[in-house]
Amino acid sequence: FLRKTLEQKHPRLYEYTPKEKFDLFFDSLYQKIENPLAEREFHFFLLPVINMVHCSHTKLMSSMYLLGHMNDYIKVPPFQAYFTPEKVYIRANFSNDTTVKAGAELVSVNDVPVEEIRKSFLVRMTREGNNLTFIYNRMNAAAWPGNGYVGLFPGLCDYPSIDSYKLELINPGAKAKKVVKLTSLNYNSYPPVILSSRKKLEFRMEDNYLAGILTISSFSHPYERYQEFIDSVFAQLEACKVPNLIIDLRGNLGGIPQETVMLLSYILRDTFTYFKEGNGYDDYKIPIPVLPNRFKGRVYMLIDGACRSSTGHFLAIAKYHGIATMIGEEACASYSCNDNGAPYTLPHSKLILQCSGSTYSVVVRGLRRGNGIIPDYTVIPAIQDIVNEKDVVLQFALEKTRNSLKQ
């Protein structure tokens, strides 16, 4: 069912993985099924298929039953891991063992080397094109409950039933490894900040009106509320004659084009066309005027590996028109992505396959499909910045606005 659905519905199934390789992999999976599998085991078993599609809108999620009963069956790690391409760290310790310090280098979990856990993530997580920053971003988010990912899953298949975690680690400043055993937490005891999905829509002034900071962590707010808020932001910018605008899009997984188009109409210099291809949205395939009180100062955008879907479209147009300096890390997406999908319930396991149905591209040239938007300035926080909640990306942008006074 999974195979036929992907083959019949996905618009670009073989764009990154040739059909021959897909067919061989599916055949090998059939050969490996020798015993009955629990839903979690089957989910873990199938996830590499989803990774091979290279489409962040194509996902395999837990059944509605398991998602609805997470409090009953799930146990979660009493710590939060932070993955970089080189090492893995303890970002936060939620246990009562105070000898485990935030920032400690993690060597192994339950005798599984962290490199094996990393490799398991990298072949099982949803991804976009050739980009890896989205995978690392989702790994470090620690929880993506709608997809059934919490804690180290899918880096460790058996985590929902683990009563304790044996960690081998090296604390900051120490040379010797130490081994600790921490008791698992119940799902409803997990820190609320980790499971929170609150969508930020905030604005503030900085440095005595030298810069305005607009934070948009999602483009899927109720549209009327979003429109009213954005209108008020640009009215303030104009009234206070603010010369610099920092738009913080980190963590923004996308949303509806109406919200990205509206924001573009406030910052682009001239009429623009949004969509080149995609089902519907005919009004966005013709020239769109910019607004009379558009912002005329310098624009900076803070981006990270979570910036996918409509956020990738937004960044691609901003990049193409050269109206913003981008700071952070490579975004998840760019000018083109697959979406317009539908959920399909696998008949026996009841896992839910979300499969894209169409391709949407915006009107730009010179960008490469399969890569995310590359920042003008790459700024990656170190682990101690993360632990100390030091926002080096925002600080870099603010320093740019301060230096603009000297120019």
Side-chain angles (χ1 to χ4, degrees):
F1 181 88
L2 175 73
R3 181 177 189 170
K4 288 180 179 178
T5 304
L6 287 172
E7 290 173 346
Q8 294 171 6
K9 303 296 183 181
H10 199 282
R12 293 185 171 184
L13 183 60
Y14 305 116
E15 182 174 10
Y16 298 97
T17 303
K19 184 178 187 303
E20 298 77 17
K21 186 174 180 180
F22 246 119
D23 289 345
L24 283 172
F25 190 72
F26 268 118
D27 292 342
S28 73
L29 285 182
Y30 284 123
Q31 297 300 318
K32 289 177 183 176
I33 300 176
E34 298 177 345
N35 301 299
L37 298 172
E39 180 189 323
R40 273 291 179 183
E41 294 170 320
F42 191 52
H43 192 178
F44 189 78
F45 179 74
L46 289 179
L47 280 171
V49 173
I50 305 303
N51 176 274
M52 292 169 68
V53 182
H54 292 248
C55 168
S56 66
H57 288 84
T58 296
K59 300 171 284 188
L60 186 65
M61 300 174 283
S62 298
S63 70
M64 292 302 296
Y65 180 84
L66 255 65
L67 288 175
H69 290 78
M70 293 180 84
N71 285 347
D72 301 333
Y73 78 91
I74 202 170
K75 297 172 185 174
V76 295
F79 62 94
Q80 184 181 0
Y82 186 84
F83 289 78
T84 73
E86 297 80 27
K87 294 185 178 183
V88 183
Y89 299 95
I90 299 287
R91 179 176 184 170
N93 174 19
F94 307 132
S95 76
N96 295 324
D97 188 339
T98 57
T99 68
V100 177
K101 304 298 182 183
E105 180 184 346
L106 196 55
V107 179
S108 69
V109 180
N110 291 342
D111 296 320
V112 180
V114 291
E115 270 312 304
E116 287 188 29
I117 297 173
R118 183 204 310 277
K119 289 176 183 176
S120 184
F121 266 120
L122 292 177
V123 299
R124 286 182 169 84
M125 294 292 280
T126 298
R127 63 186 297 180
E128 184 74 28
N130 300 312
N131 177 278
L132 291 179
T133 59
F134 181 67
I135 293 183
Y136 277 97
N137 184 277
R138 296 296 86 195
M139 287 155 62
N140 293 332
W144 200 8
N147 293 276
Y149 302 158
V150 179
L152 290 177
F153 186 81
L156 293 171
C157 178
D158 57 353
Y159 90 93
S161 60
I162 295 175
D163 291 318
S164 63
Y165 282 83
K166 176 185 175 185
L167 305 184
E168 185 180 10
L169 53 86
I170 304 171
N171 271 322
K175 295 182 179 179
K177 298 176 185 177
K178 68 176 297 181
V179 176
V180 297
K181 190 173 182 179
L182 308 179
T183 302
S184 300
L185 302 176
N186 293 324
Y187 177 77
N188 56 9
S189 298
Y190 216 41
V193 66
I194 301 299
L195 299 177
S196 171
S197 59
R198 187 172 68 90
K199 298 170 182 176
K200 289 184 180 178
L201 196 57
E202 300 172 349
F203 178 72
R204 73 177 195 271
M205 297 292 188
E206 190 77 20
D207 287 349
N208 196 26
Y209 298 97
L210 176 63
I213 302 174
L214 173 60
T215 301
I216 307 176
S217 63
S218 171
F219 285 117
S220 58
H221 296 87
Y223 183 67
E224 288 186 3
R225 172 176 167 254
Y226 174 87
Q227 183 180 35
E228 182 180 352
F229 175 79
I230 296 298
D231 284 341
S232 70
V233 166
F234 284 89
Q236 289 180 66
L237 291 168
E238 184 176 42
C240 298
K241 296 181 171 53
V242 179
N244 298 285
L245 172 61
I246 298 171
I247 304 176
D248 188 351
L249 296 170
R250 291 173 294 175
N252 191 324
L253 295 169
I256 58 175
Q258 290 91 327
E259 298 192 1
T260 55
V261 167
M262 182 188 180
L263 186 55
L264 286 168
S265 68
Y266 267 117
I267 59 177
L268 289 179
R269 301 184 186 96
D270 206 348
T271 300
F272 66 101
T273 304
Y274 192 76
F275 276 130
K276 178 180 180 181
E277 65 171 328
N279 289 345
Y281 298 107
D282 291 341
D283 289 347
Y284 293 163
K285 295 174 183 174
I286 58 177
I288 301 167
V290 296
L291 293 168
N293 59 332
R294 68 176 184 84
F295 183 71
K296 300 178 181 64
R298 297 180 181 86
V299 179
Y300 302 85
M301 294 181 184
L302 311 187
I303 64 176
D304 66 8
C307 295
R308 68 167 194 142
S309 193
S310 290
T311 310
H313 288 159
F314 172 85
L315 292 173
I317 289 182
K319 185 86 168 180
Y320 173 66
H321 287 275
I323 51 89
T325 299
M326 300 191 185
I327 301 167
E329 66 176 357
E330 180 182 355
C332 165
S334 180
Y335 74 96
S336 180
C337 70
N338 308 306
D339 197 0
N340 193 32
Y344 301 88
T345 301
L346 276 61
H348 295 293
S349 64
K350 307 303 179 185
L351 292 170
I352 302 168
L353 169 66
Q354 180 73 25
C355 180
S356 294
S358 305
T359 299
Y360 291 84
S361 300
V362 293
V363 180
V364 297
R365 292 192 302 271
L367 296 179
R368 185 175 178 180
R369 184 172 162 87
N371 294 105
I373 296 297
I374 306 298
D376 299 293
Y377 297 95
T378 298
V379 181
I380 308 294
I383 182 59
Q384 286 305 318
D385 297 326
I386 298 294
V387 170
N388 296 328
E389 299 183 348
K390 181 180 178 182
D391 194 341
V392 295
V393 180
L394 177 58
Q395 290 305 314
F396 185 93
L398 286 170
E399 195 59 34
K400 282 286 179 187
T401 67
R402 292 160 190 157
N403 288 339
S404 69
L405 290 174
K406 305 172 185 177
Q407 297 174 2

